[in-house]
Amino acid sequence: QVQLVESGGGLVQAGGSLRLSCAASGRTFSDYIMGWFRQAPGKEREFVAAITMSGGNTYYTDSVKGRFTITRDNAKNTVHLQMNSLKPEDTAVYYCAARYHLVTTTPTYDYWGQGAQVTVSS
């Protein structure tokens, strides 16, 4: 089992920044691809970003490229999502997720956090 706990959500004005963090515990953190997904009211959960086990490769959905950055610290078992130039359409609950070894942009990860609300006002 891997337990994931997100933090850092909140309310921000358009153009502002937030940094989400996800703390992992349980199994070997460096064995897992880490991803961030988001779900807005009435919409399906969508992929935001992912990072490989070593942190050497990152993946982003087109709408956040150039604005969001995913990083991980395997020594501290944490993954972060730095979100800059936020837009109202970024408003959603953001979920941290872990998947064993295989990168994917589909919400088929093995473990999920409880979610963190991000609200961007116009």
Side-chain angles (χ1 to χ4, degrees), residues 43-108:
K43 294 187 177 181
E44 294 186 350
R45 191 168 296 188
E46 66 169 350
F47 171 78
V48 176
I51 188 166
T52 53
M53 293 174 286
S54 67
N57 289 293
T58 57
Y59 306 84
Y60 299 94
T61 192
D62 286 345
S63 63
V64 308
K65 285 180 181 176
R67 301 189 297 122
F68 290 12
T69 303
I70 185 171
T71 57
R72 68 188 294 162
D73 185 338
N74 285 345
K76 296 182 178 179
N77 290 0
T78 56
V79 61
H80 305 283
L81 185 68
Q82 178 66 43
M83 304 183 293
N84 298 329
S85 302
L86 283 161
K87 304 175 181 179
E89 52 263 42
D90 294 318
T91 295
V93 177
Y94 283 70
Y95 296 90
C96 172
R99 181 182 170 104
Y100 187 71
H101 274 210
L102 297 177
V103 176
T104 180
T105 60
T106 61
T108 54

Side-chain angles (χ1 to χ4, degrees), residues 11-27:
L11 172 64
V12 65
Q13 288 188 333
S17 298
L18 282 175
R19 186 183 191 227
L20 298 179
S21 296
C22 175
S25 60
R27 295 190 175 179

